[in-house]
């Protein structure tokens, strides 16, 4: 157990931070490089703030679980973070070791998405609303409620901000560089919701352990991964809510707000980052409804008012196959509550270009590639891309010289992987070796989005 735990919690954490730093340097994200440098310094000393926060949350969860007559005395439970792990297709998981101990691992990507959603919620507040408690500040003003949802400039900015964040994770496996500027009173609320949403995630995993849910198939040497059915996921959600009701003083409010943010973050991160995610959880709408089940009518309406801007932002942003309007990007650029430090209009043109990649039809792609071949001497990849667009993914990837192992992963209905992992593997293809960087990225992104679409259609998921 000790060697495996040290490998996962220390070596892998430092490796992931170094990889994040490398990618941040490539993107010119100098402020992010400085942040990662500080995290690296702390991680090497064993003082990683996220790891320390997770340990604090776990202890609070276990203390609350003991009050609910669920005791962890018979099992050793630890918690850690893997960073932006491009090889992992899980956002939160439990690793049970052969000696009976358990390790709960939560990805940085999920933490980052929880924080972004909490900040998007704060972005939708008006200054007047901050003085009203506890649910009075959560809804929209009467003027904004009268508008059609997608005509609301703040909702449009929220969608664009979340799309920006999601595309960074999808295509670069690092968080977005934009920051939401928050007044002190809003920062305190966001910090609180981050802690509660993190506690829900950890408590859910602890629930699987203490409820005695059975283990899954073998995973890495010495460990086994846990995969549960919908009923067990509901049981773990119910356990997490019972724990949060004891941890959070205003039990029927902040605890469910934190759970709502965590559930929306899970759903959004899966939509942005993963191809063929392991859908062991019930639909997020079903899980959210269960968090409202024990609330009275006034409290339910209050939480619904809180959820409205977030749900709309997630609905508008998460389907990366549908580009958002250019004017929404312009609205985000003009929003004074979103930091533009280190950004100029060219950055928004770049992200808008990446957003449009998924919306171009095959004929348009053939035209764009033909122009690049003729005018810039780029390698001609049209035949392989036609095959991928037609659903012959294995054939198209093979024509480009992509590793057979990658094609096998794409064909395997039980294999889950991130869009970034597939993007990197395609960019390593023989046919793209001599291509210019922007062309190589655009072609790879087109293939990733086409493969993602075909896999979702095969699984009959909503588009």
């Amino acid at each position: 157990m000790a060697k495996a735990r040290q490998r996962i919690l220390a070596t892998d954490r430092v490796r992931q931070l170094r990889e994040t730093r490398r990618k941040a340097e490539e993107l010119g994200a100098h402020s992010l490089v400085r942040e990662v440098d500080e995290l690296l310094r702390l991680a090497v000393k064993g003082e990683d703030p996220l790891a320390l926060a997770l340990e604090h949350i776990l202890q609070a969860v276990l203390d609350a679980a003991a009050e609910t007559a669920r005791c962890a005395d018979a099992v050793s439970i630890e918690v850690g973070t893997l960073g932006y792990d491009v090889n992992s297709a899980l956002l939160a998981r439990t690793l049970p070791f052969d000696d009976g101990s358990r390790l709960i691992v939560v990805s940085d990507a999920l933490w980052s998405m929880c924080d972004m959603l909490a900040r998007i919620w704060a972005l939708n507040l008006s200054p007047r609303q901050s003085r009203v408690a506890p649910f009075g500040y959560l809804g929209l003003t009467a003027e904004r409620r009268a508008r059609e949802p997608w005509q609301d400039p703040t909702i449009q900015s929220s969608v664009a901000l979340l799309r920006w964040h999601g595309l960074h994770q999808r295509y670069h496996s690092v968080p977005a560089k934009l920051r939401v500027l928050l007044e002190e009173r809003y920062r305190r609320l966001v910090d609180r919701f981050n802690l509660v949403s993190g506690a829900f995630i950890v408590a859910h995993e602890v629930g699987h352990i203490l409820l005695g849910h059975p283990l899954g198939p073998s995973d890495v040497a010495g460990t086994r991964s846990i995969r549960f059915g919908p009923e067990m996921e509901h049981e773990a959600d119910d356990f997490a809510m019972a724990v949060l009701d004891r941890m959070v003083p205003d039990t029927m409010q902040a605890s469910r707000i934190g759970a709502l943010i965590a559930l929306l973050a899970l759903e959004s991160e899966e939509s942005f980052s993963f191809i063929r995610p392991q859908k062991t959880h019930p639909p997020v709408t079903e899980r959210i409804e269960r968090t409202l089940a024990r609330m009275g009518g006034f409290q339910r309406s209050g939480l619904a008012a809180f959820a409205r801007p977030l749900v709309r932002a997630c609905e508008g942003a998460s389907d990366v196959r549908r580009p958002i309007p250019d004017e929404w990007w312009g609205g985000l650029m003009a929003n004074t509550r979103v930091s533009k430090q280190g950004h100029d209009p060219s950055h928004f043109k770049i992200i808008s270009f990446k957003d449009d990649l998924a919306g171009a039809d095959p004929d348009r792609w053939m035209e764009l590639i033909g122009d690049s071949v003729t005018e810039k001497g780029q390698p001609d990849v049209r035949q392989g891309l036609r095959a991928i667009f037609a659903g012959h993914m294995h054939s198209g990837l093979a024509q480009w010289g992509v590793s057979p192992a990658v094609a096998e992963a794409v064909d395997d209905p039980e294999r889950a992987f991130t869009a970034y992992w597939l993007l990197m593997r395609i960019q390593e293809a023989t046919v793209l070796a001599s291509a210019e960087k922007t062309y190589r990225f655009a072609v790879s992104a087109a293939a990733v989005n086409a493969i993602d679409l075909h896999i979702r259609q095969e699984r009959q998921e909503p588009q």
Side-chain angles (χ1 to χ4, degrees), residues 105-125:
V105 182
V106 183
S107 75
D108 276 4
L110 183 54
W111 284 107
S112 178
M113 185 61 73
C114 286
D115 179 70
M116 179 55 70
L117 289 180
R119 290 174 182 274
I120 285 174
W121 164 76
L123 183 67
N124 280 270
L125 299 180

Side-chain angles (χ1 to χ4, degrees), residues 28-32 34-35 164 177-179 181 333 335 338-344 347-348:
H30 304 299
S31 61
L32 181 57
R34 290 192 293 270
E35 292 176 17
W164 177 289
K177 295 174 285 185
L178 291 183
R179 295 289 185 268
L181 302 176
M333 187 67 178
N335 194 313
V338 178
S339 171
K340 309 303 184 306
Q341 184 177 2
H343 294 76
D344 57 45
H347 286 85
F348 286 82

Side-chain angles (χ1 to χ4, degrees), residues 105-315:
V105 182
V106 183
S107 75
D108 276 4
L110 183 54
W111 284 107
S112 178
M113 185 61 73
C114 286
D115 179 70
M116 179 55 70
L117 289 180
R119 290 174 182 274
I120 285 174
W121 164 76
L123 183 67
N124 280 270
L125 299 180
S126 68
R128 313 183 281 190
Q129 292 171 306
S130 66
R131 295 188 296 273
V132 186
F135 270 127
Y137 58 73
L138 300 179
L140 303 175
T141 63
E143 177 187 0
R144 290 181 61 196
R145 283 197 299 270
R147 296 173 179 161
E148 289 295 324
W150 307 120
Q151 294 177 353
D152 186 331
T154 308
I155 293 291
Q156 294 174 0
S157 290
S158 298
V159 172
L161 181 61
L162 185 55
R163 178 66 65 87
W164 177 289
H165 185 80
L167 289 179
H168 263 73
Q169 293 195 0
R170 181 176 179 86
Y171 292 133
H172 304 295
S173 194
V174 293
K177 295 174 285 185
L178 291 183
R179 295 289 185 268
V180 179
L181 302 176
L182 298 176
E183 296 85 348
E184 178 62 28
R185 57 183 177 271
Y186 294 149
R187 284 201 300 271
R188 289 196 299 268
L189 287 169
V190 167
D191 288 344
R192 186 182 187 202
F193 290 147
N194 281 339
L195 285 174
V196 179
S197 60
F200 177 85
I201 294 166
V202 172
H204 176 95
E205 297 299 322
V206 169
H208 283 309
I209 297 169
L210 299 189
L211 293 171
H213 291 164
L215 305 185
S218 294
D219 186 19
V220 297
T223 73
R224 295 180 296 275
S225 63
I226 294 181
R227 296 182 66 180
F228 306 112
E231 187 56 39
M232 291 182 183
E233 297 294 351
H234 283 318
E235 291 177 359
D237 280 349
D238 293 344
F239 173 89
M241 289 312 311
V243 166
L244 259 63
D245 284 347
R246 290 185 174 273
M247 288 177 59
V248 184
D250 47 345
T251 57
M252 300 303 281
Q253 297 175 11
S255 60
R256 278 156 179 75
I257 292 170
L260 178 69
I261 290 175
L263 292 171
L264 288 173
L266 282 162
E267 183 77 1
S268 297
E269 191 59 40
E270 283 192 343
S271 296
F272 283 124
S273 297
F274 294 94
I275 295 178
R276 200 189 286 120
Q278 294 181 353
K279 292 287 187 179
T280 59
H281 293 87
V284 68
T285 51
E286 184 178 322
R287 297 177 73 187
I288 289 174
E289 182 60 31
R290 288 178 68 88
T291 69
L292 307 179
R294 289 179 289 170
M295 302 181 74
F298 173 75
Q299 292 168 324
R300 287 172 64 93
S301 63
L303 189 58
F306 166 86
R308 191 176 296 116
L310 278 184
V311 171
R312 286 174 178 170
C314 291
E315 287 175 348

